[in-house]
Amino acid sequence: GAPFAGLGSPAGPPSRLGLALRRAYKDDEERVGFMDSPIGQAIGALSKALSDSPLNDAKIWLAKQQAGEYNEAEVSAKLDSYIKDNSVVMFSYSKCPFCIKAKKELDDMGAKYLVLDVDKMGDEGKHLRAELAERTRRTSMPNIFIAGEGIGGCNDGPGMMTLKKEGTLLPMLEKAGAMR
């Protein structure tokens, strides 16, 4: 159709799905919208199902392999410091729609928090992710801690959005001293 005119390649025009997926990742607002779309919801459900399955051990093993060799005691101590020294800390991927959604929710609530975009931290980020996976049994991002307690991600573990819907997120943030 006309909306796709001129967007093809020598191999032919891109599919509507391909265009929709590229557009869904254009910027942060669109990433959040994508997360709420049927495809985004399906990805979230699949991620949760995988984390609850025996395949989770394979995901943790893979995270450790991606991290390569590192000083586990040193990285564990650094992880402890991030969690202990901050009322709220979010380990994140910079372009992940679930991470962006969680950041937006905390921003909208006026919370103070530390974000560590592990995908922008080189080897240190891979090491932190591997230690988080070992410690929390979760490889997905975000991985959020409030007052030293792991609350999971955006929608899982129980997840920030679940806590918000239950009315317990704001009291947790207030008790942690994270509200501006």
Side-chain angles (χ1 to χ4, degrees):
F4 304 108
L7 295 177
S9 68
S15 71
R16 289 179 188 251
L17 176 60
L19 286 170
L21 289 175
R22 273 188 256 149
R23 187 182 172 320
Y25 286 101
K26 187 175 175 192
D27 63 24
D28 289 353
E29 278 300 311
E30 289 181 345
R31 284 186 185 94
V32 171
F34 173 76
M35 188 194 82
D36 292 334
S37 74
I39 294 172
Q41 293 293 313
I43 290 170
L46 178 61
S47 178
K48 180 164 179 15
L50 285 173
S51 71
D52 294 340
S53 80
L55 291 175
N56 195 49
D57 288 335
K59 290 172 52 183
I60 293 168
W61 176 85
L62 182 60
K64 298 286 271 186
Q65 296 306 303
Q66 289 171 332
E69 300 242 348
Y70 62 93
N71 183 326
E72 291 182 21
E74 184 179 297
V75 174
S76 183
K78 184 173 267 192
L79 188 59
D80 287 339
S81 177
Y82 283 130
I83 294 168
K84 180 178 64 84
D85 296 344
N86 295 281
S87 54
V88 179
V89 63
M90 180 187 310
F91 298 90
S92 170
Y93 287 139
S94 59
K95 303 293 183 191
C96 162
F98 296 97
C99 299
I100 292 164
K101 173 78 171 173
K103 292 171 194 173
K104 183 178 180 331
E105 288 297 327
L106 288 173
D107 288 342
D108 290 350
M109 294 176 78
K112 298 177 291 182
Y113 60 100
L114 173 68
V115 173
L116 295 166
D117 286 323
V118 296
D119 60 321
K120 292 186 171 187
M121 297 173 70
D123 286 343
E124 179 185 4
K126 291 175 185 173
H127 302 162
L128 286 169
R129 179 174 179 247
E131 282 302 302
L132 277 168
E134 194 73 32
R135 188 177 293 189
T136 65
R137 309 295 300 159
R138 302 180 75 252
T139 58
S140 62
M141 296 290 157
N143 202 327
I144 305 166
F145 292 81
I146 299 175
E149 178 185 343
I151 64 160
C154 186
N155 299 321
D156 63 323
M160 194 176 77
M161 298 309 295
T162 301
L163 295 173
K164 183 178 178 184
K165 285 177 189 164
E166 292 173 350
T168 57
L169 180 61
L170 183 58
M172 285 178 79
L173 293 169
E174 289 171 341
K175 184 176 178 187
M179 298 308 295
R180 295 184 185 126

